[in-house]
Amino acid sequence: MSASMNTYTDAQVEAKIATLRGLVEQLTERVEANEGAIAQNSSDMDVSYLVICGALVFFMQAGFAMLEAGIVQSKNVTNILFKNMIDASIAAICFWLLGYGFAYGTDKGYGFIGSDNFATEVWTASVAFLRDIHNGTGGWEGWFFQWAFTGACATIVAGSVAERTKLEVRVSKVGLALPTTHAR
């Protein structure tokens, strides 16, 4: 036997194996504890990504407003900017009332449009309605993201009819057309 080789008794080997098993168990517990935190972080990152992307899409409305302000006569700039603000506001209300339910409600065999998850159902179920907008497809962040696109659609159409329609026509267009923008 060489001088550099250590010899261990059976008791020493068992003790080292027990120590290693204890370390493995501790590491396993730490990994399992971190898996929950990793899953939560992943969910939080998804929410953050949707909110940031929704905000970027919403900023498209500001860009379209500036474009429209540049193409209309100077006397109509304030009017067109006001109409863009009205588009975003009415889009939010109409998408909450009808659009989200049309797009993400339960399909009852029609294959075209949802039949539940409208604002009135959510409102009667809970006063804190934004907490309950989910229908299994996401939470408030999903609603915000889809609303941003709905508002952008309204602003794109509004730019094509700038200086050609009155406010009443524009409001009715937004109120009637937008809830179906995201229908299946």
Side-chain angles (χ1 to χ4, degrees):
M1 223 185 264
S2 71
S4 65
M5 213 168 144
N6 294 332
T7 57
Y8 295 102
T9 63
D10 288 342
Q12 289 174 326
V13 170
E14 290 297 324
K16 289 195 181 283
I17 289 174
T19 302
L20 290 174
R21 283 189 181 143
L23 290 173
V24 167
E25 288 176 12
Q26 287 177 358
L27 288 174
T28 303
E29 290 172 3
R30 287 182 182 175
V31 167
E32 289 171 355
N34 285 335
E35 285 175 353
I38 290 170
Q40 181 62 41
N41 286 343
S42 176
S43 175
D44 292 345
M45 290 298 291
D46 290 346
V47 169
S48 299
Y49 184 73
L50 271 179
V51 170
I52 289 170
C53 289
L56 290 174
V57 171
F58 183 70
F59 285 137
M60 287 171 51
Q61 289 190 348
F64 288 128
M66 296 302 107
L67 174 69
E68 292 173 30
I71 62 172
V72 298
Q73 296 176 21
S74 60
K75 66 180 183 174
N76 294 328
V77 170
T78 303
N79 188 26
I80 203 72
L81 294 176
F82 172 74
K83 288 179 181 180
N84 276 302
M85 290 297 296
I86 292 295
D87 281 346
S89 302
I90 292 176
I93 293 168
C94 291
F95 191 67
W96 176 70
L97 285 173
L98 297 172
Y100 193 80
F102 285 164
Y104 296 104
T106 305
D107 180 12
K108 295 197 176 183
Y110 307 120
F112 172 66
I113 203 164
S115 59
D116 64 354
N117 208 19
F118 297 107
T120 54
E121 294 173 7
V122 176
W123 184 263
T124 57
S126 171
V127 175
F129 57 88
L130 286 178
R131 179 185 64 212
D132 295 331
I133 296 178
H134 53 78
N135 195 28
T137 61
W140 60 270
E141 68 281 355
W143 182 91
F144 172 74
F145 185 72
Q146 296 302 328
W147 162 74
F149 276 101
T150 303
C153 290
T155 306
I156 291 169
V157 172
S160 67
V161 294
E163 294 186 315
R164 293 181 184 93
T165 60
K166 292 186 177 186
L167 181 63
E168 296 83 16
V169 174
R170 189 170 179 146
V171 168
S172 65
K173 179 258 323 172
V174 172
L176 296 175
L178 282 185
T180 59
T181 312
H182 279 79
R184 298 174 205 262

